């Protein structure tokens, strides 16, 4: 009943918005929004796609610094930061945690594919706009955009000199954000633009172990763009950028320590704190209060991009070329037991290089047949390595001995020991695409398109153990079994962590696909456009980076190590190659102009059927295994609108209803306390019929912007947003203990500006309702190991609390 009422209220709000806008007789007109959602400049109201647009002004006014903070303003879109990466979700679909994945949501920076989740952390700065396209975008955007696409469009060099300086300061987290933009002509026919940003933050979490605030952030960004009119018909643009973003600490904490209720069971933090107490070390408090006990995390990232774009305008046709190189380097250290106990350290290094070339030809609009097509090529190289280190002063030896008196020989090897994984992946892809629109008459259009893709990948992975002296331990050449007379081996030590050694394994794949689209559009009248779209898309298969075991259960398998010591089986079977993911989408929509252009109302009703969803599942100890999750159906309704109520007041609203169902998911990791029930996958759970994580049933955003002159030289500006999100699960185990309650977040801004907008001073209030939102989390690593499977605790990344910043803008 509760959810039905919320849906009723949402429908009522839409009805009031539409009725109010229709009744308006004001001469106010909304400013037209131009997008490139179909790789050509068009009015948003002419595009048959569910699109949300966040303008440069909104990004600045709301203090949005990255895609994660931007996603709060777009229903059915979320980005959530984790300990080592990001999850990017549209309409409930995301790829999970694994460097072997490219995202189901394609990110594009000035048309260049940003398929790696790490690239979502690049600061948002000096953009024209961000377009979020929901639903399969497999033809014009192409690569792997099976759930949707996020298109970031940079601001371009201007014909006249202009510049701006922006400074923001927020005292609670000691956030300082400085931005400078200079743009204008350099010589006749040559224009330039320089964008520089420097941002620092001390954080809003208290780390009691290190006695400091976290997450400490240092970000810098510089971009230079040159635009050259080569001839009257040929223009060229060269963009070079570098972003650095370094962090210390995380906004995460351990909480909710529980046991399974059976005789002899014990919760995780009781065991952990018992060991801590024995050593005279601080205890982990286990509360959800933005206070964490942790020994420190660091991350250093550098992203570089060079993009050369050339356009040649012919009569009725434009030919364009986009050549781009993208690369990044990341080094990170994670205290990934997420507690103040000295248990283990995890580190990783990731290096990525990408080259792409696209040639595109685009007809002018208004002919009987409009078309766009081209060729695309991309090559990439990924090198990834990570390690788990057992510190010399760590508690692992004590924990092992507590499991069984027979464990002494294993425990003796732990101080200073380490295990390391190396992964390499090379990829080459080429594609050809064409989309043709037949303008049947002035009111009716039919679009047909397709994209043919051929992608090859080669990958390798190995796992090596090391002694405390740093000497590599050769992997067994034959499967090893537990020898109770010789427990003191590194295979048995790391077998307790479900990590097994193996020599290099290799794989390759060649994946081809054809993705079609058919769209019909009907201008029912001058104010209403209706459309219907059917499309199919895919995301290519690949190779698992982060599994801690060999995919062949008979290779080097440590049988029953934990069974001897803790009463449970420890069969180690990893994963390596995973299959392609496919989607088929039907979408019906409408773009409506109301009250003589004073208002707009857009609707999209959709249904997508996914097969072989690619998911990454925590193995319950330290690793993640990739699997294809069977089938899922996603369907729902999206609504957005704007209304210029008066010359001074503009309202905007958007909302989404999302229905997600795993039609077939027999191979999911079980939640804590859930008995394995999968008939075909021993030890796993059948989650068919359940919702995926990050799939709130309802979301909506309502905003208002008002500005008016209060004197001859001053303007007062007021803005407010209310963002509502229904409850959802935030862990891939679908554990009910990881349910985030529904939240309502209020953001507001008040500004005083010079009438010609030369300067502006503003107060920005973010999360004024002080909502506590758990963005990501799951089972605390090693909780099950320390409790012999009888207990657990959870960790979560928590959002920023209420904060108020002062912002100063100066334009020249």
């Amino acid at each position: 009943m509760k959810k039905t009422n919320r849906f009723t209220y949402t429908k009522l709000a839409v009805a009031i918005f539409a009725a109010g806008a229709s009744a308006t007789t004001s001469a106010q007109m909304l400013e037209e929004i131009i997008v490139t959602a179909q790789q050509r400049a068009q009015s948003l109201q002419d595009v048959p796609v569910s699109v949300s647009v966040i303008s440069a002004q909104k990004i600045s006014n709301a203090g949005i610094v990255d895609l994660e903070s931007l996603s709060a303003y777009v229903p059915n879109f979320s980005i959530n930061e984790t300990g080592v990466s990001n999850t990017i979700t549209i309409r409930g679909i995301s790829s999970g945690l694994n460097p072997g994945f490219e995202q189901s949501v394609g990110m594009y920076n000035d048309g260049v594919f940003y398929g790696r989740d790490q690239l979502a952390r690049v600061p948002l700065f000096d953009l024209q706009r961000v377009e979020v396209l929901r639903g399969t975008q497999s033809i014009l955007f192409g690569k792997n955009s099976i759930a949707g696409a996020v298109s970031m469009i940079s601001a371009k060099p201007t014909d006249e000199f202009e510049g701006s300086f922006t400074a923001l300061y927020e005292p609670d987290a000691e956030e300082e954000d400085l931005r400078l933009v200079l743009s204008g002509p350099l010589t006749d026919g040559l224009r330039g633009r320089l964008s520089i940003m420097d941002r620092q933050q001390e954080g809003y979490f208290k780390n009691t172990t290190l006695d400091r605030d976290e997450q400490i952030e240092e970000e810098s960004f510089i971009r230079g763009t040159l635009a050259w009119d080569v001839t009257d018909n040929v223009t060229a643009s060269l963009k070079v950028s570098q972003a650095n973003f370094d962090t210390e600490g995380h906004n995460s904490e351990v909480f909710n320590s529980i046991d399974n209720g059976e005789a002899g069971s014990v919760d995780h933090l009781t065991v952990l704190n018992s060991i801590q107490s024995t050593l005279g070390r601080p205890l982990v408090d286990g509360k959800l209060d933005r206070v964490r006990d942790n020994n420190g995390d660091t991350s250093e990232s550098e992203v570089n991009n060079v993009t050369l774009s050339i356009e040649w305008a012919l009569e009725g046709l434009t030919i364009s070329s986009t050549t781009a190189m993208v690369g990044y380097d990341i080094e990170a250290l994670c205290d990934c037991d997420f507690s103040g106990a000295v248990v283990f350290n995890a580190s990783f290094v990731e290096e990525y290089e990408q080259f792409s070339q696209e040639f595109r030809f685009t007809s002018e609009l208004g002919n009987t047949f409009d078309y766009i097509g081209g060729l695309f090529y991309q090559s990439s190289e990924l090198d990834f390595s990570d390690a788990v280190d057992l510190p010399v002063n760590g508690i692992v030896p004590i924990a092992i001995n507590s499991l069984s008196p027979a464990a002494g020989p294993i425990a003796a090897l732990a101080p200073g020991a380490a295990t390391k994984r190396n992964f390499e992946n090379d990829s080459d892809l080429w594609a050809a695409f064409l989309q043709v629109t037949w303008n049947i008459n002035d009111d009716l259009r039919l679009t047909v398109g397709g994209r043919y893709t051929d992608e090859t990948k080669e990958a390798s992975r190995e796992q090596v153990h090391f002694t405390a002296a740093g000497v590599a331990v050769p992997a067994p050449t034959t499967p090893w079994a537990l020898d109770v007379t010789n427990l003191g081996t590194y295979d048995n030590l790391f077998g307790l962590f479900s990590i097994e050694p193996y020599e290099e394994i290799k794989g390759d794949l060649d994946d081809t696909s054809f993705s079609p689209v058919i769209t019909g559009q009907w201008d029912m009248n001058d104010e209403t456009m209706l459309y219907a779209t059917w499309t199919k898309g895919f995301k290519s298969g690949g190779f698992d980076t982060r599994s801690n075991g060999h995919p062949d259960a008979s290779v080097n398998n440590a049988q029953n190590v934990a069974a001897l010591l803790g009463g449970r089986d420890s069969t180690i079977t990893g994963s390596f190659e995973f299959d392609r993911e496919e989607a088929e989408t039907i979408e019906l929509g409408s773009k409506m102009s109301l009250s003589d252009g004073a208002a707009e109302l857009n609707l999209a009703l959709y249904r997508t059927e996914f097969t072989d969803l690619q998911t990454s599942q925590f193995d319950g100890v330290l690793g993640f295994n990739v699997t294809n999750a069977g089938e899922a159906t996603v369907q729902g309704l999206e609504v957005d609108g704007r209304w210029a109520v008066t010359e001074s007041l503009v309202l905007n609203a958007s909302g989404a209803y999302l229905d997600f169902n795993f039609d077939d998911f027999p191979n999911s990791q079980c939640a804590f306390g859930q008995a394995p029930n999968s008939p075909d996958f021993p030890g796993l759970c059948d989650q068919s019929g359940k919702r995926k994580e990050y799939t709130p049933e309802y979301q909506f955003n309502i905003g208002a912007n008002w500005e008016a002159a209060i004197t001859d030289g001053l303007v007062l500006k007021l803005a407010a947003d209310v963002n509502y999100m229904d409850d959802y699960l935030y862990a891939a185990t679908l554990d009910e203990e990881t349910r985030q309650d529904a939240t309502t977040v209020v953001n507001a801004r008040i500004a005083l500006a010079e009438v010609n907008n030369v300067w502006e001073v503003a107060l920005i209030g973010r999360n004024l309702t002080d909502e506590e939102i758990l963005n990501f989390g799951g089972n605390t690593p090693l909780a099950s190991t320390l409790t012999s499977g009888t207990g657990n605790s959870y960790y979560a990344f928590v959002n920023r609390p209420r904060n108020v910043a002062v912002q100063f803008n100066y334009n020249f």
Side-chain angles (χ1 to χ4, degrees):
M1 182 62 68
K2 183 180 179 183
K3 293 182 182 293
T4 302
N5 285 339
R6 283 203 295 268
F7 191 37
T8 301
Y9 296 152
T10 302
K11 292 191 294 183
L12 179 61
V14 171
I16 292 173
F17 182 91
S22 297
T24 301
T25 58
S26 168
Q28 304 307 317
M29 294 284 290
L30 286 170
E31 181 180 354
E32 185 179 30
I33 297 177
I34 301 297
V35 298
T36 50
Q38 293 191 312
Q39 299 290 18
R40 64 165 90 227
Q42 294 175 281
S43 170
L44 174 64
Q45 296 307 101
D46 294 333
V47 176
V49 179
S50 179
V51 185
S52 287
V53 180
I54 307 297
S55 67
Q57 192 66 47
K58 180 65 177 180
I59 292 172
S60 176
N61 289 352
I64 295 171
V65 297
D66 53 24
L67 283 175
E68 181 181 3
S69 50
L70 178 141
S71 66
Y73 296 88
V74 182
N76 272 351
F77 171 53
S78 67
I79 294 185
N80 305 95
E81 182 178 348
T82 74
V84 296
S85 60
N86 293 308
T87 59
I88 309 169
T89 307
I90 287 182
R91 292 179 176 173
I93 298 299
S94 57
S95 292
L97 304 180
N98 199 288
F101 282 139
E102 289 168 338
Q103 293 301 303
S104 298
V105 177
M107 295 180 294
Y108 298 83
N109 191 303
D110 292 329
V112 177
F113 179 60
Y114 272 30
R116 309 291 304 168
D117 64 344
Q118 298 289 352
L119 294 170
R121 300 189 178 191
V122 174
L124 295 182
F125 174 46
D126 195 28
L127 300 176
Q128 287 185 358
R129 64 189 179 277
V130 176
E131 302 174 10
V132 180
L133 290 69
R134 291 174 289 245
T136 304
Q137 309 294 324
S138 293
I139 313 304
L140 301 180
F141 284 91
K143 184 166 172 52
N144 294 339
S145 304
I146 193 169
V150 180
S151 179
M152 295 162 279
I153 296 92
S154 303
K156 304 300 188 289
T158 53
D159 294 325
E160 302 294 333
F161 176 77
E162 64 179 41
S164 66
F165 172 74
T166 303
L168 179 144
Y169 177 71
E170 191 279 306
D172 289 342
E174 296 188 46
E175 179 185 8
E176 300 175 2
D177 190 328
L178 303 176
R179 306 184 179 210
L180 175 67
V181 176
L182 300 172
S183 180
L186 300 176
T187 64
D188 187 25
L190 182 66
R191 302 170 299 282
R193 191 178 188 94
L194 179 65
S195 311
I196 303 174
M197 185 198 83
D198 184 82
R199 178 179 175 272
Q200 300 180 33
Q201 174 182 292
E202 291 300 313
Y204 54 88
F205 256 73
K206 182 65 176 180
N207 187 329
T208 57
T209 305
L210 300 179
D211 191 26
R212 70 181 186 187
D213 292 329
E214 295 177 346
Q215 156 173 313
I216 301 170
E217 300 177 1
E218 293 186 7
E219 301 178 352
S220 63
F221 180 87
I222 182 169
R223 180 174 65 230
T225 307
L226 292 175
W228 179 27
D229 298 328
V230 183
T231 69
D232 290 342
N233 298 325
V234 179
T235 59
S237 174
L238 177 65
K239 181 185 73 174
V240 180
S241 67
Q242 182 181 88
N244 293 274
F245 36 104
D246 304 335
T247 64
E248 293 183 50
H250 285 309
N251 53 320
S252 64
E253 55 187 313
V254 175
F255 67 104
N256 191 20
S257 186
I258 60 176
D259 61 65
N260 63 15
E262 298 177 0
S265 64
V266 61
D267 69 277
H268 172 225
L269 293 187
T270 293
V271 175
L272 186 64
N273 283 332
S274 176
I275 298 173
Q276 288 287 90
S277 179
T278 301
L279 296 173
R281 295 177 180 174
L283 304 184
V284 179
D285 68 9
K287 299 176 182 177
L288 191 60
D289 53 7
R290 292 195 177 97
V291 176
R292 70 192 305 245
D293 313 281
N294 193 270
N295 297 296
D297 314 274
T298 61
S299 175
E300 298 180 355
S301 305
E302 179 180 303
V303 178
N304 294 283
N305 171 257
V306 178
T307 302
L308 174 63
S309 301
I310 301 174
E311 287 197 352
W312 183 17
L314 303 173
E315 185 175 352
L317 178 68
T318 299
I319 298 176
S320 59
S321 168
T322 302
T323 309
M325 290 179 287
V326 180
Y328 63 77
D329 299 282
I330 299 174
E331 294 185 14
L333 174 67
C334 178
D335 183 15
C336 278
D337 58 273
F338 298 107
S339 75
V342 183
V343 186
F344 72 94
N345 292 321
S347 60
F348 78 89
V349 176
E350 185 174 340
E351 298 178 357
Y352 178 75
E353 294 182 355
Q354 171 187 303
F355 170 81
S356 63
Q357 174 65 58
E358 183 178 75
F359 295 106
R360 191 167 63 243
F361 55 89
T362 307
S363 72
E364 64 180 4
L365 293 173
N367 299 309
T368 302
F369 292 96
D370 299 327
Y371 55 85
I372 181 171
L375 298 172
F376 176 77
Y377 171 77
Q378 177 180 296
S379 64
S380 64
E381 296 179 4
L382 172 68
D383 292 323
F384 177 88
S385 63
D386 62 347
V388 173
D389 302 287
L390 305 180
V392 173
N393 63 336
I395 69 169
V396 169
I398 299 173
I400 293 176
N401 279 315
S402 70
L403 293 176
S404 169
I410 298 179
L413 297 177
T419 183
K420 183 178 182 180
R421 173 175 40 223
N422 297 306
F423 176 86
E424 295 181 0
N425 187 92
D426 296 335
S427 173
D428 286 283
L429 173 146
W430 72 268
F433 59 94
L434 177 66
Q435 182 167 295
V436 179
T437 298
W438 176 23
N439 297 297
I440 301 171
N441 55 44
D442 291 341
D443 301 325
L444 193 62
R445 296 173 293 285
L446 177 66
T447 298
V448 178
R451 187 182 191 98
Y452 176 81
T453 303
D454 187 306
E455 183 169 17
T456 60
K457 292 183 179 180
E458 296 180 353
S460 64
R461 195 182 75 202
E462 65 177 356
Q463 186 81 42
V464 182
H465 298 334
F466 291 86
T467 70
V471 178
V473 179
T477 56
T478 58
W480 98 80
L482 180 65
D483 180 358
V484 295
T485 65
N486 185 25
L487 289 175
T489 71
Y490 289 93
D491 301 332
N492 291 335
L493 169 63
F494 286 103
L496 289 170
F497 298 91
S498 292
I499 303 174
E500 64 177 347
Y502 50 85
E503 297 180 346
E504 184 179 68
I505 54 177
K506 296 182 178 180
D508 60 79
L509 63 83
D510 188 345
D511 203 353
T512 61
S513 178
F514 178 73
S515 302
V517 65
I518 301 175
T519 301
Q521 289 179 255
W522 175 38
D523 294 334
M524 189 170 67
N525 50 48
D526 291 340
E527 291 78 32
T528 303
M529 183 268 282
L530 306 178
Y531 69 89
T533 295
W534 170 85
T535 186
K536 296 184 70 174
F538 86 106
K539 183 156 73 82
S540 61
F543 300 93
D544 187 344
T545 305
R546 296 189 63 199
S547 177
N548 279 337
H550 194 285
D552 186 344
S554 67
V555 175
N556 301 338
N557 207 313
Q559 295 287 342
N560 298 321
V561 177
L564 174 72
L565 304 181
R568 62 184 180 88
D569 183 57
S570 181
T571 300
I572 303 172
T573 303
S575 58
F576 187 50
E577 185 171 350
F578 53 90
D579 295 331
R580 62 191 290 171
E581 178 180 297
E582 297 182 344
E584 183 174 356
T585 298
I586 296 176
E587 182 170 310
L588 307 176
S590 175
K591 302 289 182 78
M592 291 176 280
S593 177
L594 306 173
S595 187
D596 296 325
E600 295 170 350
L601 183 63
N602 302 327
L603 308 172
L605 182 68
Y606 64 90
R607 178 184 174 90
T608 303
E609 296 180 353
F610 287 88
T611 57
D612 293 326
L613 270 174
Q614 298 169 1
T615 64
S616 180
Q617 300 180 27
F618 183 52
D619 66 5
V621 188
L622 291 180
F624 290 83
N625 294 320
V626 170
T627 186
N628 291 87
E631 301 176 357
T633 298
V634 186
Q635 56 191 358
L637 173 67
E638 293 159 349
V639 182
D640 68 83
R642 298 185 297 154
W643 178 16
V645 182
T646 68
E647 183 179 353
S648 301
L649 177 64
V650 176
L651 303 179
N652 60 273
S654 58
Y657 165 74
L658 174 65
D659 177 25
F660 189 105
N661 184 72
F662 277 121
D663 301 318
D664 181 31
F665 191 7
N667 54 338
S668 171
Q669 181 204 352
C670 299
F672 175 72
Q674 182 181 10
N677 64 353
S678 177
D680 300 320
F681 297 91
L684 299 179
C685 283
D686 189 339
Q687 306 286 29
S688 301
K690 294 188 177 181
R691 296 178 71 93
K692 189 176 177 292
E693 73 276 16
Y694 303 121
T695 57
E697 193 170 6
Y698 297 99
Q699 289 178 264
F700 65 79
N701 170 272
I702 299 174
N705 291 271
W706 178 88
E707 64 177 80
I710 55 175
T711 70
D712 291 340
L714 295 178
V715 174
L716 181 65
K717 301 179 182 181
L718 303 176
D721 294 281
V722 178
N723 303 320
Y724 172 82
M725 183 175 292
D726 209 351
D727 62 290
Y728 60 88
L729 299 173
Y730 56 81
T733 59
L734 309 185
D735 189 334
E736 280 297 323
E737 295 286 343
T738 65
R739 182 170 295 280
Q740 166 64 48
D741 292 336
T743 56
T744 301
V745 174
V746 176
N747 305 307
R749 184 177 193 268
I750 179 171
L752 187 66
E754 192 267 341
V755 69
N756 294 316
N757 204 34
V758 173
W759 58 263
E760 180 184 81
V761 178
L763 285 177
I764 301 175
R766 296 173 290 197
N767 190 16
L768 294 176
T769 43
D770 203 23
E771 292 278 9
E772 186 176 68
I773 304 173
L774 308 185
N775 298 310
F776 176 83
N779 299 335
T780 304
L782 296 184
S784 181
T785 300
L786 285 177
T787 62
S788 299
T790 67
N792 192 32
S793 68
Y794 299 85
Y795 75 95
F797 284 72
V798 188
N799 72 315
R800 190 169 178 173
R802 178 192 297 117
N803 63 95
V804 178
V806 60
Q807 184 185 63
F808 173 73
N809 299 320
Y810 183 74
N811 300 309
F812 52 89

